[in-house]
């Protein structure tokens, strides 16, 4: 046995050695190519491929006689492939050769059917796939009307005949079988498939020879082959759905009497889509101060319609340049909680998008409501050139806001040069609030002057329709284009205010004044506007752009006041205000190699007409106010993309801002007897020079980036609110505010930010800093007071990722603001806010996550003796469950130290104030979320859309 | 893997012979008017498809990008190719392909790709991660697999070939002309029996299609740019820089296509 195997092995070794010795290591492979008529085929591409994976090893061309040779190639097996534009690609194996020259004999190629070539490849631009004898082509390139069957499609395919009965023939033979995705469908009759299946479901049609049914049954090849057809179904990869539902419950919060409820939060969203349609639903309800949805949910809700390009029809300087996307912010139900009080929120909506590349359509509906209960304490210090006063204010408010909004957008590409966009939005709103407010006014020695108690109830119903259409046309001449837009907006509101105030004036004898006001107010507004933009290319780099804007606005405001149950004509007014706006502008633009710069000028005219009546329908009260403002406004923009990822921008504009309607009205508004607002019909528009400079740099190799920018505004003519503060007999401290024009004033802001990876992907330093200064002169008791702001803020943070399962973030921020007053230097304020934050995200076990953040904020104002520290600590643990990770359970603790409160410090003109308001403090919540797509069992490093 | 490398070296060695063969074959053929001229390619980028091909980003993240931007994520640009039987040069065109870009000018990155088939050498001046590099080396074509489809591109019948670029995570399908025996293509693609007229990278993330072919004698078009400034490196250095960058981006879970040419 042993000996036998030795012999065998010896023989094997010898024979293999013998074979190896016989075969040369290099070989010349030669042949010539002929077609089926034995004609030589010159200039065919001949390729040697690795038979294992078809990798290209070598190639050559056949010569004028159809001959080719591969000289001195490795003597290994090859797949020889011959291709020529007039022949079906041919392939055959070339085996290892025993001789140095391997003449493989004549290679015969079959001509490619002329119909296939002309109709499929050239006319329909469809690729042909050749698999041996099978020729397959892309059915989607042959257009059939919607609703057509496969039979209709086959009638259009070259080389396939379909008779009146639906029998299919190819190359003169009957097609015996039709498969769908390789499987028999509805029995044996091919017609059952072709007559029933819709053409739009098919992506590919393959025709090939198949062994006959007889051969398949008996296993004996009778040599007959039958024509068969396979229909490949479209891969509906774009079709799908996703969604999430969350329910959460938490403990009662006993922090304040006004909000003593168990915490709850629920949220659900569901989306369905295919390649043309997107349909989504979203809904939420909570009492944890989430007044709307977050960005991520909103993006998924709006889908393809979240951002739109060219939606702005108000053409102006710089509109002809690059395209920009605008966020669809109209009535967006995004979370906008400002940090004060307690809210109960409810919202739901649906969005539908259709997009077939030529036509885009969007329709969405959203309902949202918020009920706010707020307690707020404000301390305010007001001063004049000669005195200063203190005011403490306690407000209790309950407030409801509800909106229904419907938004629609339609975009149609009429052809590649014409596009039309039509948008319309409707919104119905209702709001009501009741509040009681107690104010105590005292002089600088804290001796009370007067007190005011107010109870207000308001109701307001309103609706608004906005619409716009934009048409853009590109001319045949490259770069020449025209855009026209028109829009119509209309709104109406109707409300009542029920005001009750009790003012006590402390003197020798306390004087009490009680006022009851009932105010009915209506506001009607309509606006028509239209714009035109024309761009003419002067050369490849120079463009000339012109635009024209027109708008006409009509406003009617009716305010009828009943005081102590009798009509008070001194506070009642009906006025109309019409604004006619015209602007004609032109600019020259230069664009070349990353430099885009434009210089232009516009002439703008604003015509205001105001009429005052005692009441709607009554005769005119005073002469009409007619005012016309005309201005030239220059504009410069320059953007330069430097080499090495640097961008530099410079902008200058001269801006005119028309006075607000309420600032022009002559009849005073006295909702609060101690605060009187008087309009100024003589008011002129705000005019200012605005400069902006910015620079950005990004290093793609080190991932470091830096940017800085500066903004400077200088007012030629500003609108400010002059204040008169006086102690009036029998009333107390009364403030009167009246808008007026002043010359002068400026604001300047400069910032720098940088992100620098100290250790790539592990440790990143983030810095942000800014400096701002400003000066705003205004009259206080007829003395000019120049309020100056100077401040800076710095933020330094580190992002540390030692491991993919652990992310730390630490950040330190300082914010300082100095406010100085020219009339009262001792009132100068120094506001200081400091904050330190540390956060951790840690995946401590498979499917287990721990997240926590701690923030310590310090609010200081030495002048005001204000000193408040606020540590906020949150933490949560969550676990992903289920085979597909679809369920998430989360236990979260918010504000574990029970310290959260709303705080703000603010100083301006002739006052400084700080406000605090209770809001949600410590609570615990357990939530469960079911996600159709499943949760990821890893920490998220980045969040993008 | 090793066998592939051997094969590609073999292919490279044979390129010289083949070109001599082609040059000899052409003067006598009707098909073979002199293979010299210029060509314009239209490059269509699709941002969401580029995102979709980044396998280390979560599927949800990629799906969201597609869901929100799917139909608004394309932009187009032109590039130019000059070819003779022995040499090709490829660069970006200053011409704007995007009608809406008319009037706004972007700075083009430095990008000149020249292939010399006589000397079997490459000269590439490219911008990579903010720096200009000059790659001078011998020609190493991609390891193409030859597939079975044929179709027409810009009036030429083309065959299909595939290359899996594991370095840049790209699945590349190229269509090469059967009647234009110039072994080059757009970007850095080369090594097929005919001029590559269309390239599809990552299922439509970038599609480069020849849209204008002009046969004409060339004069100075093959010249290298007057200003040649940059760090001189070899192909292996380029691969090393690219690999390091791709690895870093993967670790940071950031898409890799800012800072490098797709």
């Amino acid at each position: 046995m042993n000996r036998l195997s030795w012999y065998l092995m010896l023989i094997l070794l010898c024979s293999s050695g013998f074979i190896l010795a016989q075969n040369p290591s290099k070989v010349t492979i030669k042949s010539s190519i002929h077609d089926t008529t034995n004609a030589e085929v010159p200039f065919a591409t001949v390729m040697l491929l690795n038979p294992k994976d078809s990798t290209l090893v070598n190639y050559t061309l056949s010569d004028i006689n159809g001959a080719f040779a591969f000289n001195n190639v490795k003597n290994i097996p090859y797949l020889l492939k011959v291709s020529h534009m007039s022949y079906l690609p041919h392939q055959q194996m070339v085996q290892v050769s025993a001789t140095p020259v391997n003449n493989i004999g004549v290679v015969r190629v079959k001509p490619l059917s002329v119909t296939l070539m002309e109709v499929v490849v050239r006319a329909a631009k469809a690729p042909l796939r050749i698999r041996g004898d099978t020729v397959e082509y892309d059915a989607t390139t042959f257009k059939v009307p919607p609703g057509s069957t496969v039979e209709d499609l086959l009638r259009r395919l070259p080389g396939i005949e379909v008779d009146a009965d639906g029998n299919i023939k190819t190359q003169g033979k009957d097609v015996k079988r039709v498969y769908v995705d390789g499987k028999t469908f509805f029995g044996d009759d091919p017609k059952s498939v072709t007559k029933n299946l819709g053409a739009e479901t098919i992506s590919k049609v393959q025709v090939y020879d198949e062994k006959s049914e007889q051969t398949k049954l008996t296993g004996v090849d009778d040599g007959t082959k039958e024509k068969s057809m396979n229909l490949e179904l479209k891969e509906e990869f774009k079709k799908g759905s996703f969604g999430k539902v969350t329910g959460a419950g938490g403990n009662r919060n006993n922090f304040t009497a006004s909000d003593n409820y168990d915490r709850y939060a629920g949220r659900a969203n569901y989306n369905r889509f295919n390649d043309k349609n997107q349909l989504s639903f979203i809904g939420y309800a909570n009492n944890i101060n989430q007044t709307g949805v977050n960005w991520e949910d909103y993006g998924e809700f709006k889908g393809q319609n979240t951002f739109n390009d060219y939606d702005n029809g108000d053409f102006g300087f710089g509109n002809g340049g690059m395209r920009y996307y605008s966020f669809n912010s109209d009535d967006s139900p995004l979370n906008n909680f400002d940090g004060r009080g307690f809210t109960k929120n409810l919202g739901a909506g649906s969005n539908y998008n259709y997009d077939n590349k030529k036509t885009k359509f969007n329709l969405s509906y959203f309902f949202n409501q918020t009920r706010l209960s707020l307690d707020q304490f404000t301390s305010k210090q007001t001063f004049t050139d000669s005195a200063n006063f203190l005011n403490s204010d306690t407000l209790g408010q309950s407030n409801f806001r509800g909106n229904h909004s419907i938004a629609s957008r339609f975009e149609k590409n009429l052809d590649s040069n014409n596009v039309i966009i039509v948008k319309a939005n409707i919104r119905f709103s209702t709001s009501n609030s009741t509040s009681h407010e107690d104010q105590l006014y005292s002089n600088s020695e804290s001796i009370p002057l007067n007190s005011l108690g107010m109870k207000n109830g308001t109701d307001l119903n309103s609706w608004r329709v906005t619409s716009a259409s934009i048409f853009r046309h590109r001319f045949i001449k490259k770069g020449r284009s025209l855009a026209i837009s028109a829009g119509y907006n209309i709104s109406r509101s109707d409300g009542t205010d029920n005001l009750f105030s009790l003012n006590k004036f402390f003197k020798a004898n306390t004087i009490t004044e009680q006022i009851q006001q009932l105010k009915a107010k209506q506001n009607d507004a309509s606006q028509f506007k239209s714009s035109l933009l024309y761009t003419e290319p002067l050369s490849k780099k120079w463009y000339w752009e012109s635009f024209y804007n027109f708008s006409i606005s009509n406003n009617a405001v009716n305010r009828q006041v009943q005081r102590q149950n009798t009509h008070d004509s001194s506070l009642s007014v009906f006025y109309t205000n019409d604004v006619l706006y015209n602007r004609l502008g032109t600019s020259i633009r230069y664009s070349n190699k990353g430099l885009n710069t434009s210089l232009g000028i516009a002439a703008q005219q604003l015509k205001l007409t105001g009429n005052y009546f005692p009441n709607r329908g009554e005769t005119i009260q005073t002469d009409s106010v007619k005012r016309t403002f005309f201005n030239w406004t220059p504009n410069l923009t320059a953007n330069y993309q430097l080499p090495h990822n640097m961008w530099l921008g410079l902008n200058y504009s001269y801006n005119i801002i028309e006075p607000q309607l309420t600032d022009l009205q002559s009849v005073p508004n006295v909702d609060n007897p101690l605060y009187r607002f008087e309009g100024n019909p003589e008011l002129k528009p705000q005019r200012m020079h605005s400069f902006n400079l910015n620079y950005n740099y990004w290093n793609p190799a080190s991932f470091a980036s830096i940017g800085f920018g500066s903004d400077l505004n200088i007012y030629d003519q500003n609108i400010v609110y002059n204040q008169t503060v006086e102690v009036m007999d029998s009333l107390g401290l009364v403030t009167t505010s009246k808008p007026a024009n002043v010359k002068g004033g400026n604001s300047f802001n400069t910032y720098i930010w940088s992100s620098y990876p100290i250790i790539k992907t592990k440790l990143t330093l983030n810095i942000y800093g800014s400096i701002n200064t400003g000066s705003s002169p205004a009259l206080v008791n007829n003395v000019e007071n120049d309020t100056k702001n100077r401040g800076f803020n710095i933020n330094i943070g580190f992002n540390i990722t030692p491991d993919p399962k652990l992310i730390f973030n630490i950040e330190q921020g300082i914010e300082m603001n100095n406010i100085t007053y020219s009339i009262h230097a001792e009132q100068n304020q120094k506001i200081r806010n400091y904050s330190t934050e540390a956060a951790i995200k840690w995946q401590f076990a498979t499917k287990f996550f721990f997240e926590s953040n701690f923030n310590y904020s310090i609010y200081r104002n030495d002048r005001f003796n204000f000193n408040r520290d606020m540590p906020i600590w949150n933490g949560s643990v969550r676990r992903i469950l289920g085979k597909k990770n679809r369920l998430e359970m989360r236990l979260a603790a918010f504000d574990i130290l029970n310290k959260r409160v709303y705080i703000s410090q603010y100083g301006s003109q002739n006052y400084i104030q700080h406000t605090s308001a209770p809001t949600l403090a410590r609570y615990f919540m357990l939530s469960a979320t079911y996600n159709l797509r499943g949760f990821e069992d890893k920490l998220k490093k980045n969040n993008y859309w | 893997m090793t066998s592939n490398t051997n094969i590609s070296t073999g292919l490279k060695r044979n390129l010289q012979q083949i070109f001599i063969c082609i040059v000899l074959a052409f003067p006598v053929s009707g098909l073979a008017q002199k293979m010299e001229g210029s060509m314009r390619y239209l490059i269509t980028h699709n941002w969401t498809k580029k995102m979709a091909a980044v396998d280390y980003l979560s599927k949800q993240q990629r799906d969201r990008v597609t869901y929100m931007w799917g139909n608004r994520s394309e932009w187009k640009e032109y590039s130019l190719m000059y070819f003779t039987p022995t040499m090709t040069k490829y660069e970006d065109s200053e011409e704007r392909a995007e009608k809406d870009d008319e009037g706004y000018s972007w700075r083009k990155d430095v990008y000149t790709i020249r292939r010399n088939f006589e000397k079997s050498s490459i000269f590439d001046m490219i911008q990579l991660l903010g720096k200009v590099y000059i790659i001078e080396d011998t020609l190493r074509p991609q390891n193409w697999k030859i597939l079975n489809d044929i179709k027409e591109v810009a009036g030429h019948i083309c065959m299909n070939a595939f290359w899996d670029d594991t370095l840049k995570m790209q699945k590349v399908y190229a269509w090469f002309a059967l009647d234009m025996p110039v072994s080059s293509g757009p970007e850095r693609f080369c090594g097929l029996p005919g001029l590559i007229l269309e390239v599809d990278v990552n299922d439509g993330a970038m599609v480069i299609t020849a849209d204008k072919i002009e046969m004409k004698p060339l004069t100075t078009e093959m010249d290298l740019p007057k200003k040649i400034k940059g760090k001189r490196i070899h192909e292996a250095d380029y691969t090393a820089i690219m690999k390091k960058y791709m690895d870093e981006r993967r670790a940071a879970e950031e898409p890799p296509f800012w800072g490098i040419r797709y």
Side-chain angles (χ1 to χ4, degrees), chain A residues 559-579:
Chain A
R559 197 176 75 211
Q560 298 301 324
V561 181
Q562 281 200 329
R563 217 169 137 100
Q564 328 287 46
N565 290 324
T566 50
H567 187 258
D568 185 336
S569 55
S570 74
L571 297 175
S572 299
V573 67
F574 172 71
Y575 64 95
T576 62
N577 183 295
D578 302 324
V579 184

Side-chain angles (χ1 to χ4, degrees), chain A residues 43 54 56 59 81 125 128-130 300 308 474 543 589 591 593 596 641 644 934 936 941-942, chain B residues 14 29 58 60-61 64 71-72 96 100 102-103 105 107 130 144 146 148-150 152 183 251 253:
Chain A
F43 308 117
S54 297
L56 181 63
Y59 59 84
K81 190 157 195 152
K125 299 266 173 221
L128 272 188
R129 173 157 293 177
I130 290 123
E300 289 190 345
N308 283 310
R474 292 190 199 99
Y543 296 83
R589 200 176 66 230
S591 298
K593 297 198 169 162
N596 294 281
Q641 188 186 353
H644 310 300
E936 268 201 283
K941 278 196 179 170
N942 308 301
Chain B
N14 284 301
S29 134
S58 87
Q60 284 189 27
Q61 210 168 313
R64 180 180 295 125
N71 291 334
R72 296 176 196 269
R96 291 159 191 167
D100 301 328
E102 202 55 57
S105 159
R107 175 180 281 273
W144 294 105
I146 306 297
N148 292 310
D149 304 6
I150 54 174
E152 191 209 76
S183 181
E253 287 172 30

Side-chain angles (χ1 to χ4, degrees), chain A residues 498-644:
Chain A
N498 199 340
L499 314 168
F500 176 82
S501 62
L502 183 70
N503 187 40
K504 284 182 183 164
F505 180 65
F506 310 117
K507 227 181 170 182
N509 324 314
T510 302
I511 299 167
T512 305
E513 192 193 19
Q514 193 175 318
I515 300 171
Q516 188 256 320
Q517 266 188 39
L518 185 66
K519 197 158 82 171
K521 49 186 188 178
Q522 288 108 35
N523 196 340
D524 299 348
S526 67
Q527 184 189 43
F528 171 77
K529 58 182 181 179
S530 182
S531 288
L532 205 68
L533 173 72
Y534 178 74
T535 308
E536 175 70 28
L538 301 174
S539 73
K540 277 191 172 174
K541 296 166 187 170
W542 290 91
Y543 296 83
W544 177 46
E545 246 169 55
S546 297
F547 59 86
Y548 171 66
N549 310 113
F550 166 82
S551 82
I552 184 157
S553 314
N554 306 101
N555 295 289
V557 177
N558 193 12
R559 197 176 75 211
Q560 298 301 324
V561 181
Q562 281 200 329
R563 217 169 137 100
Q564 328 287 46
N565 290 324
T566 50
H567 187 258
D568 185 336
S569 55
S570 74
L571 297 175
S572 299
V573 67
F574 172 71
Y575 64 95
T576 62
N577 183 295
D578 302 324
V579 184
L580 180 69
Y581 174 78
N582 279 287
R583 184 169 72 144
L584 183 65
T586 187
S587 63
I588 290 285
R589 200 176 66 230
Y590 175 80
S591 298
N592 188 33
K593 297 198 169 162
L595 175 64
N596 294 281
T597 175
S598 145
L599 181 68
I601 190 156
Q604 79 171 47
Q605 191 200 45
L606 198 64
K607 253 187 177 164
L608 306 178
T609 312
N611 287 309
Y612 294 85
F613 310 84
N615 202 340
R616 199 190 281 268
E618 291 180 21
T619 47
I620 200 153
Q621 191 179 34
T622 50
D623 288 344
S624 300
V625 180
K626 284 203 171 93
R627 314 192 49 110
T628 303
F629 306 106
F630 178 84
N631 288 97
W632 290 100
T633 60
N635 184 289
L636 168 77
T637 51
N639 290 296
Y640 190 34
Q641 188 186 353
L642 294 141
H644 310 300

Side-chain angles (χ1 to χ4, degrees), chain B residues 144-166:
Chain B
W144 294 105
K145 293 185 198 318
I146 306 297
L147 306 176
N148 292 310
D149 304 6
I150 54 174
K151 77 165 181 177
E152 191 209 76
V153 182
H156 295 262
I157 300 302
C158 296
M159 264 206 115
N160 202 5
F162 170 74
W163 175 50
D164 189 3
D165 182 354
T166 48

Side-chain angles (χ1 to χ4, degrees), chain A residues 438-477:
Chain A
D438 290 303
Q439 298 184 330
L440 182 69
Y441 293 82
S442 41
N443 64 14
S444 52
E445 282 86 46
S446 298
I447 297 165
L449 294 169
N450 60 305
S451 75
L452 176 69
M454 289 188 289
K455 278 185 187 165
N456 292 347
T458 67
D459 270 301
L460 188 73
N461 288 303
S462 64
W463 58 262
R464 188 182 75 199
V465 176
T466 56
S467 67
S469 46
I470 303 163
F471 171 72
R472 286 174 193 270
H473 172 73
R474 292 190 199 99
F475 293 88
I476 294 163
K477 183 172 179 186

